[in-house]
Amino acid sequence: MTRTPLPRLAQLPRASHRRHPPPGQPGQRGLTLIECCAALAVTALGLSAAVPDLGSARQRHQLQGASAQIESDLHYARSLAVARNAPVRVSFTSGPALTCYVIHTGAADACPCDAQGQPVCRAGAVALRSMPFAADAPVSVRSNSRSMLFDPRNGTVTPTATVQLQGRDGSGVRLVVNVLGRVRGCSTGAALTGYAAC
C-alpha cells in the first residue's frame, strides 16, 4: 500500500491580507465617513429646497378639491330641482368665523348657517346639503350672490353668480354660474391643472 503524501501548508494558496490591490489591478473600494456625510448633506439640501414646493402643491390641491366640491354641488342642486320638479336654492352665508353654503328648499333667507356651520332652517324649508368653510381654513369662499334659485320648469338659475375661492398662497378659482345653471371655472392666480386662466 502506497501512501500519498499530504500537501504541505506551504503549498496551499495564501489569502491576500492586503487592504489595497496592487498597482495596476482593479479592485473595490468603499466610501469613507466623510464621503457619506457629504452625500447626506447634499441630499438634505435638495430636500429642503423641495419642501416649500410641497406646501404650495398641497395648497393647490386643497383649492382644486374645494372648487370641485362646489361645482359638483351646484350641478347637484340643478339636477335635484329637475328630479323633484320643485325649486331648489343654493344660499351663501358669510360671517367673521366662517362662510358656508346650503342647498335647500324655501325662501332665500330660510336656511342660514349658524356659528358652527350647521344650517338652521325655518318656515318649512329643508336643508338638503351644506358645506362650511372656516375663516382659518386653507381655502376661503365668497359669492357675489346671496342665494341662487334653480327653477325646474324653465331650467334657469336666477340670479347668475360668481363664486370666488382663494387659497392662502394667492392662487384662486372663479366659478361662474350662467343663467342655464352651467358652471365654468377659471384660475385667477397661479396656474392650476384643469383650469384656464381668467
Side-chain angles (χ1 to χ4, degrees):
M1 208 185 281
T2 50
R3 270 180 135 168
T4 54
L6 293 173
R8 292 186 183 172
L9 291 178
Q11 294 174 343
L12 292 176
R14 296 173 86 188
S16 173
H17 295 291
R18 292 184 188 174
R19 184 176 173 148
H20 298 289
Q25 291 184 354
Q28 293 183 341
R29 194 182 127 198
L31 296 174
T32 65
L33 181 61
I34 302 235
E35 291 169 332
C36 288
C37 289
L40 188 62
V42 168
T43 303
L45 187 62
L47 286 176
S48 68
V51 167
D53 290 333
L54 291 176
S56 171
R58 191 177 81 198
Q59 267 289 325
R60 287 191 303 269
H61 181 71
Q62 289 170 334
L63 182 63
Q64 288 170 324
S67 173
Q69 178 67 46
I70 293 175
E71 189 172 349
S72 174
D73 283 345
L74 290 169
H75 288 295
Y76 173 69
R78 180 180 180 216
S79 64
L80 196 59
V82 171
R84 294 170 59 127
N85 197 24
V88 172
R89 289 190 172 273
V90 177
S91 297
F92 289 85
T93 305
S94 295
L98 62 88
T99 298
C100 81
Y101 64 88
V102 181
I103 300 173
H104 64 92
T105 62
D109 58 352
C111 282
C113 289
D114 62 10
Q116 287 77 36
Q118 298 300 316
V120 180
C121 296
R122 54 187 175 268
V126 177
L128 304 169
R129 183 177 288 178
S130 68
M131 179 63 70
F133 292 90
D136 59 348
V139 177
S140 63
V141 177
R142 67 180 202 272
S143 173
N144 68 345
S145 175
R146 217 178 82 235
S147 184
M148 293 180 281
L149 175 68
F150 289 82
D151 183 1
R153 289 188 183 95
N154 299 324
T156 59
V157 176
T158 53
T160 59
T162 300
V163 180
Q164 181 71 39
L165 293 91
Q166 192 74 38
R168 288 184 187 157
D169 64 351
S171 57
V173 171
R174 182 179 302 145
L175 299 175
V176 179
V177 184
N178 71 14
V179 73
L180 296 176
R182 295 191 181 113
V183 182
R184 179 181 53 86
C186 60
S187 170
T188 59
L192 289 173
T193 305
Y195 292 98
C198 291

